[in-house]
Amino acid sequence: MAFSSLLFVFSLAALLTAAGELSSSSSDLKSLKVVMPNIEEFVSYQAIDFRLNNSTLNTRRLKPSDIPKLADDAIVAVSLDDAVNRAFQYFAEFENKRSGPILTVTLPTVESVEPGSPAEIAGVKSGDLVFYVGSNKIESVMGYYQALNEKLSQEIGLKLLRGKQGTVSVVLKNAAKGPITESNGGIKFAVPPEAIYLTERDSKRMADQYRREMLPAISVDWRTEAANNLMQNAKRLNLIAKGVVDSAGPSSAKIQTKDVLNWQHKKVLEAIDSYFSQRRKIENKNAFYLTGMGDAIVGFVCSLIIFLIALTLFWYQRRAVGKKS
């Protein structure tokens, strides 16, 4: 009887232990999720430096504290397409804020003209200096972009300064019947390579490119979440103080949209791979614990039967002794 009781207690303990392990493992599986990247990680691990006193020897990394936080009520999940569109709108605003100071002081000197573009057809040449768009006097590349956006039209008159020829007037016409913009006019200005100006059309083009080239690589179940994460990171990037990212300043942070975009995409893919890797491990543990649970149940049932048999024999023996006495 003592042995059967001890066997019953041990089997019960083994059953409860197996049940606890299985429950814990199942809970781990239920709480497992894909951890989306936070832009602070990009700031912490990328070589983004400040130039101090115009010296490359005296530098510091852009700190996580330089990235503005978003209030809880500002983080609202939206649909996949809406998230992608908003993300690239924020990226465009960031690039224009970052490059604006350079473009504002850079003369609108034509570096090259795109073949077949309205500018080439109109007769714009490399080396021309644009100093009027319509009736607006232009003093910088940014001024040219702003003048085009102020009055969208299929035809834009330009006055150019061309070396010994002096003033030359041309008219840019869009054969596609849409307005002339900085992205389709065909003029490329001589600006520093780090200066980028993105229009609304550019942001839409980049969003479409993201949908074609990057989004399909992300598992369907996480595309909307990844797009919302990209939107939030882009919004926070856009909120960085202009003085921090002013590429014309002596203490400019070396940070560009393309680097953030590639980093975020890579981290999302790594997070999904990590999720599936951890899931497989937990599922293997669950299978092991289920096997142990089955063995524990068999042991418990056997010990229970032995215990009941022993208890029955013990009761019968006591009853028999009682009758003899």
Side-chain angles (χ1 to χ4, degrees):
M1 182 64 187
F3 173 76
S4 63
S5 299
L6 188 61
L7 183 63
F8 176 75
V9 171
F10 280 142
S11 63
L12 179 61
L15 178 61
L16 293 176
T17 300
E21 291 174 337
L22 181 60
S23 175
S24 177
S25 182
S26 298
S27 178
D28 290 342
L29 183 61
K30 187 176 181 180
S31 62
L32 185 63
K33 65 178 182 178
V34 173
V35 180
M36 290 293 167
N38 190 307
I39 198 170
E40 274 88 355
E41 300 174 41
F42 176 81
V43 169
S44 300
Y45 296 105
Q46 299 298 314
I48 305 170
D49 298 324
F50 272 77
R51 293 176 180 271
L52 302 178
N53 302 321
N54 293 319
S55 170
T56 57
L57 299 177
N58 190 7
T59 61
R60 76 165 174 87
R61 290 184 182 276
L62 185 63
K63 298 177 181 178
S65 58
D66 293 318
I67 310 296
K69 300 287 186 182
L70 289 180
D72 291 338
D73 58 358
I75 304 176
V76 179
V78 296
S79 67
L80 175 62
D81 283 340
D82 199 12
V84 172
N85 290 335
R86 291 189 193 182
F88 285 93
Q89 287 172 7
Y90 292 135
F91 280 141
E93 291 174 9
F94 167 75
E95 286 295 344
N96 295 343
K97 176 170 62 178
R98 185 182 69 83
S99 303
I102 287 182
L103 299 176
T104 300
V105 298
T106 302
L107 292 176
T109 302
V110 179
E111 180 180 71
S112 62
V113 178
E114 184 180 343
S117 67
E120 186 194 45
I121 295 172
V124 179
K125 297 181 179 180
S126 298
D128 287 347
L129 177 67
V130 181
F131 69 102
Y132 269 94
V133 174
S135 59
N136 296 322
K137 187 176 181 179
I138 304 303
E139 298 179 345
S140 67
V141 174
M142 181 61 76
Y144 172 82
Y145 293 150
Q146 290 173 341
L148 289 186
N149 289 327
E150 281 180 8
K151 187 177 181 180
L152 297 175
S153 175
Q154 292 180 214
E155 296 186 8
I156 296 291
L158 302 181
K159 286 186 180 180
L160 313 172
L161 186 61
R162 182 178 295 168
K164 296 181 180 180
Q165 297 183 38
T167 302
V168 177
S169 296
V170 300
V171 177
L172 274 59
K173 297 180 180 180
N174 189 357
K177 304 302 181 182
I180 295 290
T181 66
E182 54 275 12
S183 58
N184 66 13
I187 297 177
K188 181 180 179 183
F189 292 106
V191 298
E194 68 272 15
I196 301 172
Y197 184 81
L198 298 176
T199 65
E200 182 178 352
R201 178 174 299 200
D202 292 328
S203 69
K204 290 180 179 178
R205 174 182 54 78
M206 292 170 64
D208 290 339
Q209 184 178 4
Y210 174 80
R211 290 187 182 95
R212 291 193 312 270
E213 299 178 5
M214 290 186 168
L215 205 56
I218 300 173
S219 300
V220 176
D221 291 342
W222 289 282
R223 286 180 186 174
T224 300
E225 187 176 355
N228 275 275
N229 175 259
L230 180 66
M231 177 187 69
Q232 291 167 17
N233 283 331
K235 184 174 184 178
R236 296 185 61 200
L237 183 71
N238 186 37
L239 291 175
I240 295 177
K242 187 174 182 178
V244 174
V245 296
D246 177 4
S247 54
S251 301
S252 175
K254 299 176 182 177
I255 181 171
Q256 294 189 28
T257 288
K258 62 179 182 179
D259 297 326
V260 176
L261 178 61
N262 290 332
W263 165 82
Q264 192 267 356
H265 184 63
K266 178 182 177 183
K267 286 296 183 181
V268 168
L269 295 180
E270 289 178 353
I272 293 175
D273 286 343
S274 176
Y275 168 85
F276 281 116
S277 177
Q278 294 180 56
R279 184 185 180 104
R280 283 192 293 271
K281 290 179 180 178
I282 295 174
E283 287 175 343
N284 289 336
K285 285 171 61 178
N286 279 351
F288 175 77
Y289 292 147
L290 278 171
T291 301
M293 184 77 172
D295 294 341
I297 291 174
V298 171
F300 175 74
V301 171
C302 291
S303 66
L304 180 60
I305 292 173
I306 293 173
F307 176 75
L308 291 175
I309 292 173
L311 182 62
T312 301
L313 291 175
F314 177 76
W315 174 80
Y316 181 78
Q317 185 180 22
R318 291 291 300 270
R319 185 178 179 185
V321 172
K323 286 182 177 181
K324 289 181 180 181
S325 61

